[in-house]
Every structure is written in structure tokens, then in C-alpha cells.
Amino acid sequence: MNDDTRPPRRDRDGFPPTRKSLGQHFLTDRRILGRIADALHLKGTETLLEIGPGRGALTDILVERAGRLIAIEYDRALAEMLRQRYARRSNVLIAEADVLDVSLGELAAGPYVLVGNVPYYITTPILFHALVPPRAERSVYLVQREVADRLCAPPGGKEYGALTVNVAAVAKAEMLFKVPAGAFSPPPKVESAVVRITPLPQVLVRPDEERPFRLLVQGAFGMRRKQMRRVIRSLRAVDVPTADAILAAVNIDPQARPETLSPNDFAMLLRALDTVAQ
Ligand code: SAM
């Protein structure tokens, strides 16, 4: 929780001073703000959670389209400003909190949709945090272009990694459109992109498998230049014949590298590893 108790200062435009350490790059392009809101496909009845509403440029559009809006903002001065702005709207809640400390499912208390022009210094932790069940029915994020590329990467390339596989095990990630740095004030140093994440009707890993799956995938990509035989031997302290037998059971070439395995290969591998004493 933010512990700054001083009265908020204001800049020339009447906004609290920009805090770059909180990743504050405000989206000012109205056309792009509208496209992000459109990508949520809201019917007007949903509970919508917004991560990092900032000065409320996107929030202003979303309050007209959601049944209930809960916005989570860490900056105390911005949270207070938004609370005043939406004081007359009984369906809007501004939660002053670090999004990583908030259980999104508990806050929503029912089915929800998620949106965020997220602070880039914690994009990956936010994406992993939002994977914890109960997950959003769909999520739309504005992220660094490089993260969007990783989310949507096919196996085999350098962008394909632990983030790709963990998301793909439970959801579909779609690259929607790119956003130039000039659409923000102040502009970030990188290009950005909007992605939508939608849970799979049939997930590749069960909820009780998600944690060991994450550890396996992160462990494997921590050795992405190694062959799978070596990866399995390191992760499970087994000899070569045992590692080869595990991989053969799930049709994975012992000489393959982690970046060539599909999300389903990793799910099958997790189950095969379960048969080996730890
Ligand atoms: N949504 C606004 C927009 O599009 O202009 C602001 C986006 S800005 C990139 C990210 C916002 O996330 C900022 O308002 C920042 O204060 C807020 N933020 C930073 N760290 C946060 C955290 N840990 N939890 C919640 N909000 C955070």
C-alpha cells in the first residue's frame, strides 16, 4: 500500500505529478483507447476489472460499457482523483492497491473481464498473477511489443519461452494491433501492442498441476540451449537411461531443445515425470 500521506500536488493540467517509477505512460490517443475498449466485447452487464487506470482515459470509456467497474491503482493521488471523479457512480469502485497483492477473482466475487494498460516494469508478474484461477473470462492488455510477441510466439523461435507456454497451457493469446510510442504521454522507449487472452474451453493442465507445470517450464527454459536429456537429468537428478525412457514415453527426442516442445509436450512430460520417484 502507498504510504505517502502528503496532500497531492498537481501539474499544470491539474493532474498529480507523473511517477515514472510506477510506469506512468498515459495513453492519450482516443482512437486507440476506443479500440482497446472494443476488444473487450462488453455487453454492458459484466464486472470489469481494470489494472492501473492512471488518469482514467480508458476508464472514462469503460464506465459507460460495463455493468460494474473495479479499477486497481497503486498511486494514491491518482486513486483519490478517480474516486472523486466517479463518486456519483455506484457501479464504480476504485481500489488503491498493488495489483500483485490483490486476488482478482476474490475482488470480482464472480465472473469478470480484465483490462489493463499495464505498468511495464511488472508486465510479466501481472500476466502470471492473472493466470491464477478463477481467471477472467477474457483479458485485454496493452503491453510492450516484445512481450506481446512472446505471448503469441510459435514453438521454435527465440520469443517462445516460459511465458508463452504457461499462458498457452490454459488460454489462447491473440495479437490485436500495435501501438506507437507517440500514442502515450510521456512516450515510452519501446513500441507497444494490444493482446487478448481467452481461456481455453479445455485446458492442457488441471488447476492442481499448474504450479508443478510452471516450475517444469521455467526450469526447462532456464536451460534453453541444453538438450532435453540434459534438462531432465538436471531437473530430476536421474541417469541417462531413465531420462531417455521418460522422454520416449511421451515421444520427445532426447536431443530436442526446450524451445521446440509444444505446450502439450510439456503437459505430457509433467505427467511422465510424476511416474519417477522424486
Ligand atoms: N490506464 C492508464 C492509461 O492508459 O493512460 C494508465 C496506464 S500506465 C501505463 C500504468 C498505471 O498503472 C499507472 O497509473 C500506474 O500508477 C499504475 N500502477 C503502477 N504500478 C502498479 C501496481 N503495482 N498496482 C496497480 N497499479 C499500478
Side-chain angles (χ1 to χ4, degrees):
M1 188 66 69
N2 192 345
D3 57 6
D4 186 357
T5 53
R6 287 169 300 177
R9 288 180 292 126
R10 294 281 185 265
D11 68 11
R12 262 182 307 172
D13 301 318
F15 293 114
T18 302
R19 294 174 65 184
K20 282 199 174 162
S21 63
L22 290 183
Q24 291 183 354
H25 297 279
F26 301 106
L27 189 55
T28 51
D29 185 311
R30 297 214 57 78
R31 197 179 61 88
I32 293 172
L33 287 160
R35 288 182 75 188
I36 294 174
D38 291 348
L40 286 161
H41 297 314
L42 295 170
K43 295 189 192 73
T45 51
E46 297 88 345
T47 293
L48 176 64
L49 263 56
E50 183 187 5
I51 299 172
R55 295 176 174 177
L58 184 58
T59 324
D60 282 346
I61 300 171
L62 299 173
V63 288
E64 306 297 341
R65 301 198 192 179
R68 196 160 68 102
L69 180 90
I70 304 174
I72 307 159
E73 174 56 60
Y74 183 77
D75 185 320
R76 168 165 295 179
L78 287 174
E80 182 52 32
M81 184 191 83
L82 295 177
R83 241 180 245 126
Q84 286 175 17
R85 186 184 302 172
Y86 303 120
R88 288 169 189 277
R89 298 216 181 224
S90 58
N91 63 336
V92 177
L93 172 75
I94 307 296
E96 183 195 326
D98 178 344
V99 64
L100 299 177
D101 290 340
V102 173
S103 160
L104 301 176
E106 273 179 34
L107 187 62
Y112 66 102
V113 177
L114 183 63
V115 65
N117 169 7
V118 297
Y120 290 176
Y121 73 105
I122 46 169
T123 303
T124 305
I126 288 175
L127 293 171
F128 274 104
H129 184 61
L131 285 182
V132 176
R135 285 183 275 270
E137 289 179 331
R138 55 196 174 281
S139 312
V140 172
Y141 297 104
L142 176 53
V143 295
Q144 304 91 308
R145 162 83 191 275
E146 170 246 324
V147 175
D149 287 340
R150 276 162 51 205
L151 280 167
C152 304
K158 69 175 170 29
E159 279 102 12
Y160 184 75
L163 178 66
T164 327
V165 173
N166 278 294
V167 171
V170 294
K172 177 179 78 162
E174 296 165 86
M175 172 79 84
L176 298 184
F177 56 91
K178 316 266 159 59
V179 178
F184 298 83
S185 173
K189 290 201 174 71
V190 292
E191 210 191 345
S192 303
V194 175
V195 289
R196 182 168 46 219
I197 295 184
T198 314
L200 297 174
Q202 286 211 296
V203 290
L204 301 182
V205 291
R206 301 185 307 266
D208 62 298
E209 293 176 320
E210 284 180 17
R211 195 178 134 70
F213 182 80
R214 192 169 299 182
L215 293 175
L216 169 65
V217 171
Q218 277 167 341
F221 280 102
M223 294 178 259
R224 66 185 297 146
R225 300 307 311 149
K226 301 269 191 298
Q227 296 180 349
M228 282 310 294
R229 174 186 290 137
R230 161 58 60 196
V231 171
I232 297 302
R233 292 192 62 205
S234 302
L235 293 179
R236 286 297 196 273
V238 293
D239 56 18
V240 171
T242 308
D244 283 0
I246 293 167
L247 291 164
V250 285
N251 280 324
I252 296 173
D253 180 349
Q255 294 184 325
R257 297 185 200 281
E259 64 198 20
T260 63
L261 269 56
S262 71
N264 193 50
D265 287 334
F266 279 105
M268 304 292 282
L269 181 57
L270 179 73
R271 288 167 200 140
L273 284 166
D274 267 358
T275 62
V276 179
Q278 310 252 328

